[in-house]
């Protein structure tokens, strides 16, 4: 059990018999009233979001999720199928994949997250390297500040990149924010 004040982003807690992952927390202390913690959370099973305020000394049951290394195998609409080193297959529904769909490639290593022995989501590495499939050529003379242009990767996802990035370049993308990090060799 943890108090509301001790809960951090990424923790999973039980709220009304539903596992909720914490998306954002904010500690608010006013002069007259008791301090409260505002939490934005998402239901792990249904994907529904909610925002609540709790007293800072309210107690919550923590949920420990199991994680396994796996490799993405294939997409069988509406399920994404992943396989671990022992050739066990895990199916994750497309609505539970979140932003991972934008970066997923055949044979990609990732982590499958389980709740009650059911695969509920996939976590990717923090950065991935992808090839730019299409981007407009740079416009000469447009060097005023940080100028970005859209670039598409093989999955169809569009990333804002600097002007010097060209079609065929490999770029590093932060999977948490979807932002360009660097050009790689």
């Amino acid at each position: 059990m943890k108090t509301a004040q001790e809960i951090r982003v990424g923790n999973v807690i039980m709220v009304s018999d539903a596992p909720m992952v914490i998306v954002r927390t904010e500690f608010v202390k006013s002069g007259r009233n008791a301090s409260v913690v505002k939490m934005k959370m998402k239901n792990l099973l249904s994907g529904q979001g909610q925002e609540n305020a709790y007293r800072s000394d309210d107690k919550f049951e923590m949920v420990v999720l199991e994680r396994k290394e796996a490799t993405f195998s294939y997409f069988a609409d509406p399920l994404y199928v992943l396989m671990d080193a022992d050739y066990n297959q895990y199916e994750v529904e497309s609505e539970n994949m979140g932003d991972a769909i934008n970066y997923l490639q055949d044979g990609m290593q990732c982590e499958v997250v389980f709740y009650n022995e059911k695969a509920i989501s996939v976590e990717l590495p923090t950065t991935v390297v992808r090839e730019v499939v299409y981007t407009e050529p740079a416009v000469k003379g447009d060097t005023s500040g940080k100028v970005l242009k859209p670039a598409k990767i093989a999955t169809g996802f569009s990333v804002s990149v600097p002007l010097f990035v060209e079609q065929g370049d490999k770029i590093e993308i932060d999977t948490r924010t979807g932002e360009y990090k660097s050009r790689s060799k």
Side-chain angles (χ1 to χ4, degrees):
M1 299 287 270
K2 277 192 175 181
T3 62
Q5 191 172 327
E6 299 171 321
I7 293 174
R8 301 288 174 251
V9 172
N11 289 154
V12 180
I13 60 173
M14 290 300 277
V15 178
S16 316
D17 296 329
M20 306 292 267
V21 64
I22 305 302
V23 178
R24 189 182 44 164
T25 63
E26 181 184 352
F27 182 75
V28 179
K29 182 170 171 53
S30 65
R32 186 176 285 184
N33 299 331
S35 57
V36 295
V37 178
K38 292 181 181 178
M39 292 187 207
K40 185 174 184 179
M41 50 197 138
K42 186 173 111 179
N43 188 315
L44 276 178
L45 303 176
S46 68
Q48 301 236 321
Q50 72 181 53
E51 205 165 326
N52 284 334
Y54 299 99
R55 290 194 335 256
S56 61
D57 59 348
D58 283 349
K59 293 191 183 287
F60 294 95
E61 180 185 341
M62 299 299 293
V63 177
V64 178
L65 299 175
E66 184 184 345
R67 299 168 189 276
K68 286 186 183 176
E69 288 286 323
T71 305
F72 174 62
S73 294
Y74 60 93
F75 174 65
D77 199 14
L79 301 172
Y80 285 82
V81 180
L82 297 102
M83 188 180 297
D84 67 7
D86 299 328
Y87 301 106
N88 296 320
Q89 288 190 354
Y90 306 108
E91 297 173 339
V92 180
E93 295 174 14
S94 56
E95 63 255 14
N96 294 343
M97 292 292 289
D99 292 337
I101 294 172
N102 299 330
Y103 312 104
L104 218 50
Q105 281 185 327
D106 288 346
M108 182 177 177
Q109 286 290 110
C110 47
E111 280 188 338
V112 180
V113 180
F114 294 88
Y115 174 71
N116 284 349
E117 299 180 12
K118 180 186 184 292
I120 56 168
S121 69
V122 171
E123 285 191 9
L124 300 179
T126 54
T127 61
V128 293
V129 175
R130 295 290 177 260
E131 184 176 340
V132 174
V133 178
Y134 177 77
T135 188
E136 295 288 330
V139 178
K140 264 195 168 175
D142 194 359
T143 57
S144 58
K146 187 177 181 182
V147 182
L148 300 173
K149 64 181 181 178
K152 275 195 176 171
I153 59 175
T155 60
F157 183 63
S158 188
V159 180
S160 293
V161 298
L163 290 176
F164 59 79
V165 174
E166 298 173 0
Q167 193 167 316
D169 285 353
K170 292 193 182 297
I171 59 172
E172 190 174 344
I173 305 168
D174 188 329
T175 57
R176 297 166 297 186
T177 61
E179 294 176 350
Y180 165 87
K181 287 191 74 160
S182 66
R183 185 167 60 172
S184 61
K185 304 283 183 219

